[in-house]
């Protein structure tokens, strides 16, 4: 029953991810909206933007709720309809999922998506981790689990089953840090070595500090259109977008070394777009912890089960490989401001397929994929963008 | 471009609103889902519910985020798509607004909406009010404004302009408490007198404790269908639903004695439904403070500007009047568990137009209206339901 409308991203903007103690959450929203409006090639009248979706995780970080009407005020179109969505770390792609469906169904012509998270309001210890833990299953929350601990369960299960080594996981961090050097928007623009990763402190064995994505302030914005050619000659069309869920608790899953919903969402998105993993030129994926990126390779069909790490050793997923993954630096080195994360990943692939990614541009990138997930993969959205 | 689909509510459930320190937020969600599934006359297979929207305000109250996949797990349909929405006190009606549009466009056949707020985790003083204040404009937040203070500005402006007295506002509380006596789901089932209201302590002059809605734990759920007759012979059809925004800050508005977006949303909803205020048999409106209800009468077209209080004196809006308002007890006496509030208001009107409201049933109610707003009216959703 879906109409034949080509929905595309026509503008994108991102603040540099970093701890910016002097910048309030509302300023981040305002800056992002101003930036994304200015990014549209042929310009756009704010009055043509009828839907505004704000993506944000926790007011424990940002001290700001009911951000929808604030975004409407900053946008300058009092007739726009606005609300905030939250789906843990996949809030940003969820916002796109909703906007896409509204546009595809003819319920709006253009939509603004703004993602933000102001994490520097919390010290990076237990307070920050307690807020993040609220994205887990209730029984995990009351047991005092942290996300490092939950991904450690996944890593242990995977290591036992497939013989993965800590050195293999370290390669994800090394690769993504090397990529971040080329990205002026990234939080950590510094190369690291396998030895540095391996000698960093354990946060939850077998995961170390340098296997983990950092706390970051960040905001990013997109404008999505049902008439993209009106606003730019080079939109990034949404060729596929799919949401899937897994059981919220790691303990509820038959195979802890799997992130099942990623496969389900990816398979659906590939089907919608009429492509396979082979056809994708650039991938942004949810490397909240290094183990996640290895499992994601397999769920996306880039490697067989248990063989994910071989892509790192064979350099397939490095910047100069055939299927580069996280050329932005990924969550690990670009940063992971929860509510902004998915929006920023989509912005990166928008720039890549338009050939605007500067020093980190993947040559001849025509089609890109964003894999963004929440919790330990309880909610996944996979999006395929194409020139 | 919207298709000719009749969307209706086919099931509703609400926990009794009260402080339930032993009940966790996740248990409230689970109980509500179980209850609403059981409420559908002809039954419904969870696998037919393709969309799940959770409505919740702040994790500062509930200690729970990423509630979408949890609701999917409790529902028992792993293929459903889920996310949480937040739009301050109008989160519940925002969830219906999104679900309605998805269903109307053929993107899903049935949707589950679950609203919850677990407010008893905070003492009812500054900590709770600090969380609530995050729904205001940033400049109001940093100035330390409370919602009592912001509604006091509105009350003062209104009193100056139209000669309203504190006794007039007190009548709203007296009426709504009298109504709550008939509602087994209400938090305060106790009649009060004008003298009790007037002698209660000021929380922000001219508003007193008894002009204010309380902190409450609560959850409520709805099932909405694009094929309502498959599931019940007596759905409550959504005849009109409209969202509108005002400037987020009271200080930004030309007339502080107005809640402009309520008029905009109501006028649109009336137009969609082909009715006027006169045709509506039962109203549930957002009496977060007594002054709000009086302004709402006028915005909905029940009274001329400045004449709202006359409806209280002439008993038009009492249980036995021609246009009863808040027969449930309203936010004032039924309770105001933020994320659940709008869902519970919609449940009440669902029961009213189906003739299932027991002792508080409005005779021959065929058509009802829900006015639910967030902040000081920065976001409004008005919904019209009909047999």
């Amino acid at each position: 029953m879906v109409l034949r409308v080509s929905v595309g991203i026509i503008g994108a903007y991102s603040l540099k991810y970093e701890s910016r103690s002097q910048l309030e959450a509302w300023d981040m929203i305002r800056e992002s909206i101003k930036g994304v409006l200015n990014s549209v090639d042929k310009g756009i009248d704010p009055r043509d933007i009828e839907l505004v979706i704000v993506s944000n995780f926790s007011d424990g970080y940002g001290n700001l709720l009911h951000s929808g009407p604030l975004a409407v005020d900053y946008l300058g179109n009092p007739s726009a309809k606005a609300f905030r969505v939250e789906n843990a770390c996949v809030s940003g792609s969820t916002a796109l999922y909703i906007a896409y469906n509204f546009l595809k169904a003819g319920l709006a012509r253009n939509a603004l998506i703004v993602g933000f998270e102001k994490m520097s309001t919390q010290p990076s210890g237990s307070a920050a981790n307690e807020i993040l833990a609220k994205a887990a299953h209730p029984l995990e929350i009351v047991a005092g689990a942290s996300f490092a601990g939950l991904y450690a369960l996944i890593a242990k299960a995977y290591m036992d089953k497939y013989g993965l080594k800590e050195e293999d996981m370290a390669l994800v961090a090394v690769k993504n840090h090397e990529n971040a050097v080329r990205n002026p928007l990234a939080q950590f623009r510094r190369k690291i070595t396998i030895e540095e990763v391996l000698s960093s402190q354990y946060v939850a064995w077998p995961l170390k500090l340098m296997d983990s994505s950092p706390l970051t302030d960040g905001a990013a914005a997109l404008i999505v259109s049902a008439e993209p050619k009106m606003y730019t000659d080079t939109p990034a069309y949404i060729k596929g977008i799919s949401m899937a869920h897994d059981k919220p608790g790691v303990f509820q899953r038959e195979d802890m070394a799997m992130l099942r919903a990623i496969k389900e969402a990816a398979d659906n998105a590939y089907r919608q777009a009429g492509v396979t993993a082979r056809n994708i030129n650039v991938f942004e994926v949810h490397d909240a912890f290094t183990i996640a990126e290895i499992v994601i390779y397999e769920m996306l069909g880039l490697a067989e089960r248990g063989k994910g790490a071989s892509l790192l050793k064979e350099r397939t997923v490095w910047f100069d490989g055939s299927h580069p993954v996280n050329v932005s630096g990924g969550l690990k080195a670009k940063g992971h401001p929860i509510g902004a994360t998915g929006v920023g990943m989509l912005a990166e692939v928008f720039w890549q397929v338009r050939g605007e990614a500067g020093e980190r541009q993947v040559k001849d990138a025509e089609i890109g994929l964003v894999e963004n997930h929440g919790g330990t993969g309880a909610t996944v959205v996979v999006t395929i963008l194409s020139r």
Side-chain angles (χ1 to χ4, degrees), chain A residues 35 145 155 157 260 318:
Chain A
R260 193 197 53 74
W318 291 66

Side-chain angles (χ1 to χ4, degrees), chain A residues 272-334:
Chain A
Q272 290 169 19
V275 298
T276 67
R278 284 194 161 280
N279 306 119
I280 310 282
N281 307 119
V282 57
F283 295 80
E284 285 286 307
V285 310
H286 203 87
D287 59 325
F289 295 89
T290 51
I291 179 64
E293 185 167 317
I294 293 171
V295 179
I296 292 165
Y297 297 154
E298 302 168 12
M299 298 299 111
L300 293 182
L302 280 168
E304 283 173 41
R305 284 296 285 138
K307 306 275 189 207
S310 64
L311 301 184
L312 289 157
K313 293 173 199 159
E314 293 158 11
R315 299 193 63 87
T316 318
V317 291
W318 291 66
F319 181 62
D320 53 2
S322 61
H323 291 86
V325 175
N326 285 333
V327 294
S328 69
L331 279 58
K332 174 69 198 82
K334 181 189 175 193

Side-chain angles (χ1 to χ4, degrees), chain A residues 10-11 23 31 46 71 97 147 150 164 188 191 199 263 275 320 326 335 343 353 357:
Chain A
I10 58 169
L23 195 66
E31 272 195 36
Y97 177 82
F147 269 93
L150 294 170
L164 188 80
F188 297 119
K191 275 198 186 196
S199 62
K263 180 166 164 48
V275 298
D320 53 2
N326 285 333
V343 183
V353 301

